[in-house]
Amino acid sequence: IVGDLHKEFGNKVPDKAEDLPLQDLAAAIGAFGGGLGKHIQAQLARLFSNKMPGGFSLSSARSTMQSAYGLGPQRQDALLLAAMTMEPSNRLSGEAEAKSWLGTVAQVYAAKAGISYTAAGVGSSGGQAGAPVISSAEMEKMQQKQHEHIRQQIQVLARHAGMDLREGARLAEDTQARATKMQTKLDNISAELGDELIDGVQPLFDARKARHFDSSWNWVRQEAYELIQKAIASCTADSNAPVNVDEASLQRLKNRSSPGLLQMLAGSVSILQAAKDNSLEPAIKLVLQLHCACSQVVAKPPVYRELSTPTGPQVDIGPDGTVTYSEVPRPDEPSFMDFVDHMRRPAAQGKAPFIHLKEQTTDNAWSYCAELSTMYYSGLNEICGSGLSFASKTALVTGCGRGSIGADIVSGLLSGGAKVIATTSSYSRKTTQFFEDMYRAHGARGSELIVVPFNQGSTGDIKQLVDYIYRDSNASKGLGWDLDYVFPFAAVSDIGSFATSLG
């Protein structure tokens, strides 16, 4: 329920909303001042698709509320909220029945809101006072008689020509009967399982929408060019200013080193030296440094190294009680190598490391395992030191949206040279741009990133994804991979189970 409130009202919902009385919660959210939110819109769409007859849409209902009851947009929203509490038990059969139900809702809403409706009367024709007018009901009656006369003439001509005008109608009636039967079946399934489950298992996978990113050779040249231009600008602005490149940027260049990049750097040195400008010496030294570093690793596989600054959680409570959470650099731990060293220290003299691994003994007890802990810290030292290569490895990562653990894992795999297929349940231009930027920043030599739409709640999607990954790329449009790693984030939670007993 709290999740639905956040969908509807966003950041207006206070903390611990579940502990507040409804009256206090309403006061905290504030007065209604706009259109209906995502949750209510979804519920209204479900109401009209499941219970209203075909052709009677939400816009049709709003048109009726405007013409028959004179309600404006926000009054219509209020009436629709009342309508959600008076949902018909079965699908309504036709437009007349739908308008009758809407009329019942309108009367209930009027009583609750303390308003009355003005009956639709005849108005002035815009001419002289007292000019004769005709009601809309009489006009409709005349038009109906005219249309009936025309239909009779058409039927006489059709019989004369030997045509069956009912052929299409009978086909439509048969189609409508089958559609009604199918709709009833779907309504029963929806009532039994719920819309959330049904919507949650809808397939999304489509191999034709796969996006491939593998042009690390291009992005490294652009990054190198930007570094050189910044160095030149720094020299021009202040010849005494130091021109340096941080370790993370240098590592990215080294991971994407190639003969083409070395040729570009050598050419840049030649151009800068030909200028014969002493103020450009710092920039020349920087480019030579980049050329030397990249030439040393051009024949080596790329590696993932953790070079970010370790952070820890910090919570501040302001004078007004406002709680602010942030991640701040850890004291006395400027690098992850320092962080790992501190974790390795024992909590007390003669005890196990502060962070350690245990193993289960024959009597089902858990005890400190020195061998596993040593392997663990050996891996951490490699990540923080010489680096870990994923060259020629393939991986599948699901649930790797912005800010997620999965996204960081994809970045690390790409920087180590792996080929990664990442899935997303929110496939859009914005999402693919996020993955493109990720590859641009972290994609190393030989790495590849493939992004596909995928719903992990759909069995059909899972089968199609596996087939797409393992299917022979020569005989079909598959990748022909054999996965080395699988990171199935965004799976349905299974609490209280061991890994060996998961379904």
Side-chain angles (χ1 to χ4, degrees), residues 212-220 256 439-440 443-444 447-448:
H212 296 251
F213 304 104
D214 58 1
S215 54
S216 62
W217 60 271
N218 176 62
W219 298 123
V220 69
R256 293 176 282 185
Y439 185 84
R440 176 177 180 175
S447 68
E448 183 178 0

Side-chain angles (χ1 to χ4, degrees), residues 310-312 328-334 338 342:
T311 60
V328 298
R330 290 178 175 268
D332 303 325
E333 292 176 351
D338 299 309
H342 289 175

Side-chain angles (χ1 to χ4, degrees), residues 402-426:
R402 188 184 302 273
S404 67
I405 298 175
D408 280 347
I409 288 180
V410 172
S411 300
L413 290 168
L414 291 174
S415 64
K419 294 183 177 181
V420 182
I421 178 168
T423 71
T424 175
S425 59
S426 56

Side-chain angles (χ1 to χ4, degrees), residues 5 41 69 74 263 309 387 397:
L5 284 171
Q41 289 179 6
Y69 305 105
Q74 291 201 337
Q263 185 179 9
T309 301
V397 186

Side-chain angles (χ1 to χ4, degrees), residues 42-165:
Q43 295 300 310
L44 284 173
R46 181 197 60 80
L47 169 63
F48 275 80
S49 63
N50 290 350
K51 297 302 173 66
M52 296 298 110
F56 192 78
S57 62
L58 181 58
S59 60
S60 302
R62 287 187 179 276
S63 177
T64 300
M65 287 186 279
Q66 170 67 38
S67 60
Y69 305 105
L71 298 180
Q74 291 201 337
R75 284 289 187 186
Q76 294 174 20
D77 289 342
L79 193 149
L80 288 170
L81 290 175
M84 290 173 59
T85 69
M86 302 172 62
E87 181 176 337
S89 56
N90 299 307
R91 179 180 291 274
L92 302 181
S93 59
E95 183 176 343
E97 189 176 0
K99 288 185 176 180
S100 175
W101 168 78
L102 193 61
T104 303
V105 176
Q107 297 307 318
V108 172
Y109 169 67
K112 288 184 177 181
I115 62 174
S116 60
Y117 304 122
T118 301
V122 297
S124 172
S125 63
Q128 298 177 350
V133 296
I134 185 170
S135 68
S136 58
E138 288 294 330
M139 177 65 73
E140 290 180 2
K141 186 176 180 181
M142 291 173 56
Q143 290 176 340
Q144 186 175 1
K145 287 182 178 180
Q146 187 179 23
H147 292 162
E148 180 63 27
H149 180 63
I150 294 173
R151 279 194 294 270
Q152 290 175 358
Q153 290 180 322
I154 292 174
Q155 289 172 359
V156 170
L157 292 173
R159 285 196 297 269
H160 179 72
M163 298 172 58
D164 183 5
L165 296 181

Side-chain angles (χ1 to χ4, degrees), residues 224-293:
Y225 178 79
E226 291 173 353
L227 288 173
I228 295 171
Q229 291 303 314
K230 288 180 181 179
I232 294 174
S234 177
C235 294
T236 305
D238 184 358
S239 59
N240 295 321
V243 180
N244 297 312
V245 59
D246 61 90
E247 190 176 6
S249 298
L250 181 60
Q251 183 63 44
R252 287 198 301 270
L253 292 178
K254 291 165 64 176
N255 276 339
R256 293 176 282 185
S257 179
S258 66
L261 175 64
L262 295 178
Q263 185 179 9
M264 173 187 171
L265 294 173
S268 299
V269 171
S270 300
I271 293 173
L272 292 174
Q273 289 175 339
K276 296 182 180 180
D277 186 347
N278 292 333
S279 66
L280 295 177
E281 281 301 319
I284 295 174
K285 290 181 180 179
L286 175 67
V287 182
L288 287 172
Q289 175 192 351
L290 298 180
H291 186 279
C292 179

